[in-house]
Amino acid sequence: MKVKNYLFQAIDWIVLDTILKKDTTKDIWDAMKKKFEGNARFKRSHLQALYKEFETLEMRSGEGVTEYFSRVMTVANKMRIYGEDMQDVKVVEKIVFSLIEKFNYVVCSIEESKDIDVLTVDELQSSLIVHEHKFQRCNGEE
């Protein structure tokens, strides 16, 4: 009864109405798990949609490095939530190969000087931000 009481206190009123008829705490827990976790088919379909979104991501013209990294990491983190083993190296490769043309020489120098397999997302982002600031400074001087 104590556990049931704690669950009722922690649950939102809207959800509470749907589980009030459950007799045991296990029934309550299973109903909530099913409601919020979803079934395997839902997870799989949502993960497939996220795969498609991840594969089609590209940096937009005029978009900043920080904004692009934020978009990519949002999708990658959603995929991780749904159980996908999204390695940093996959995210780094995605970002490196989907940057706009003005970063081509930066990408070449990163590929030559660093091993992309061990490059972290944060290292890549900081390197690209430095080059982005140089672009902005050069354009401001012109």
Side-chain angles (χ1 to χ4, degrees):
M1 286 306 275
K2 281 185 179 181
V3 174
K4 203 171 175 181
N5 188 30
Y6 288 136
L7 285 173
F8 287 155
Q9 289 176 1
I11 298 170
D12 190 46
W13 284 102
I14 296 168
V15 177
L16 187 64
D17 289 338
T18 63
I19 61 169
L20 269 176
K21 301 276 188 235
K22 305 294 180 189
D23 295 327
T24 65
T25 55
K26 175 139 178 54
D27 291 340
I28 294 170
W29 186 257
D30 289 342
M32 288 180 49
K33 187 175 178 185
K34 194 179 284 186
K35 181 174 183 63
F36 290 107
E37 189 177 85
N39 60 23
R41 191 178 328 150
F42 172 78
K43 281 184 179 179
R44 190 173 41 250
S45 68
H46 201 69
L47 193 56
Q48 286 173 347
L50 289 170
Y51 265 121
K52 184 176 182 179
E53 185 178 351
F54 184 78
E55 292 300 321
T56 58
L57 276 173
E58 287 188 359
M59 188 174 191
R60 299 176 188 136
S61 181
E63 183 177 33
V65 170
T66 306
E67 292 85 11
Y68 182 57
F69 269 77
S70 176
R71 283 194 310 126
V72 172
M73 292 308 297
T74 298
V75 174
N77 288 334
K78 284 180 184 177
M79 291 172 77
R80 288 176 180 142
I81 288 170
Y82 282 98
E84 178 62 28
D85 183 28
M86 181 62 71
Q87 302 282 329
D88 272 355
V89 67
K90 194 171 183 179
V91 175
V92 167
E93 287 174 350
K94 174 62 183 172
I95 291 170
V96 164
F97 296 120
S98 62
L99 293 169
I100 56 177
E101 283 187 33
K102 75 176 183 179
F103 287 102
N104 281 350
Y105 81 92
V106 178
V107 169
C108 288
S109 67
I110 288 172
E111 287 176 331
E112 291 294 322
S113 65
K114 299 177 183 177
D115 185 10
I116 290 185
D117 292 335
V118 295
L119 185 65
T120 66
V121 175
D122 294 330
E123 290 172 338
L124 177 63
Q125 184 176 10
S126 63
S127 178
L128 291 173
I129 286 174
V130 167
H131 289 287
E132 183 179 50
H133 287 299
K134 286 182 183 179
F135 290 144
Q136 291 170 349
R137 207 170 45 231
C138 289
N139 288 340
E141 289 174 4
E142 290 178 7

